[in-house]
Amino acid sequence: MYKARSDNGTVHPGDASLQGADEYRRVSYRLERYEKHLDLCVDQVTSLSKWLSFSLFAVNSVGLLTLLNQSQSITNIQTPGILFISGIIFSLLSATINQDVYNRAATHLHSMIDYWHEYQITYTHDAEQHDQIAAKLTNINRYMWLGPTTGWISGLAFVIGALIVGLYL
């Protein structure tokens, strides 16, 4: 027997004909959307995050090594040195934050996908469970800015440090 959801979230028995086909299409659409988000989260964002974090780490490290190599001709090495070291730390922090945030997002997306797969089979809507998973995803979205922001800080530290070194050379 098909159980259809009414507008207020309650579940009641119904006819499995047109309602069931429409509901199946709606759930299939949700599943496809969540699975695409999960693929994006796991594949593209993870690889881009690794590449960018490594690049920021590398350029700040090269900046620091260049500064140390040119320490005889630069009178003030503390300021650019602190900037390059900060850039290295922020690049590592960015990678760590991105990894944590996207791992949490992937976990909750898996939970949402599992919920909709179960719903697709049973047509039983548990509004409380759905809302809990959705709230966790919303909460994770609040922290998505942290990784990119620390990456930008790392890049900015390199640029300012390089400009200071460039002024002294």
Side-chain angles (χ1 to χ4, degrees):
M1 171 161 300
Y2 169 71
K3 296 181 181 179
R5 182 178 59 88
S6 67
D7 291 334
N8 65 4
T10 59
V11 177
H12 58 83
D15 186 8
S17 59
L18 292 177
Q19 282 182 329
D22 288 342
E23 190 74 7
Y24 188 83
R25 280 193 294 275
R26 186 178 71 82
V27 171
S28 295
Y29 170 77
R30 283 182 185 246
L31 277 170
E32 183 179 330
R33 189 182 75 183
Y34 285 122
E35 287 169 345
K36 282 182 182 178
H37 284 359
L38 181 62
D39 288 343
L40 176 69
C41 183
V42 171
D43 294 335
Q44 293 179 0
V45 175
T46 303
S47 64
L48 287 174
S49 176
K50 287 189 290 188
W51 176 83
L52 184 59
S53 297
F54 174 76
S55 297
L56 289 169
F57 180 83
V59 295
N60 279 291
S61 297
V62 168
L64 183 61
L65 292 174
T66 301
L67 177 66
L68 295 175
N69 190 34
Q70 298 294 324
S71 63
Q72 299 298 329
S73 61
I74 299 174
T75 57
N76 180 12
I77 67 169
Q78 288 85 11
T79 302
I82 289 171
L83 286 167
F84 291 134
I85 290 170
S86 296
I88 291 169
I89 291 169
F90 276 108
S91 71
L92 295 172
L93 185 61
S94 176
T96 303
I97 290 171
N98 281 332
Q99 182 180 6
D100 181 59
V101 167
Y102 289 111
N103 281 340
R104 289 178 190 224
T107 299
H108 298 313
L109 282 170
H110 275 294
S111 297
M112 188 62 85
I113 290 168
D114 291 344
Y115 171 82
W116 285 109
H117 274 295
E118 183 179 330
Y119 180 80
Q120 198 173 32
I121 294 167
T122 65
Y123 289 107
T124 303
H125 178 64
D126 183 350
E128 184 178 334
Q129 180 186 8
H130 177 269
D131 292 346
Q132 286 175 351
I133 298 169
K136 289 176 183 177
L137 284 169
T138 301
N139 191 39
I140 287 295
N141 283 335
R142 291 184 184 139
Y143 299 102
M144 291 288 191
W145 63 273
L146 283 172
T149 301
T150 54
W152 279 103
I153 292 170
S154 174
L156 187 61
F158 170 75
V159 169
I160 294 171
L163 287 173
I164 292 172
V165 168
L167 290 175
Y168 286 110
L169 290 180

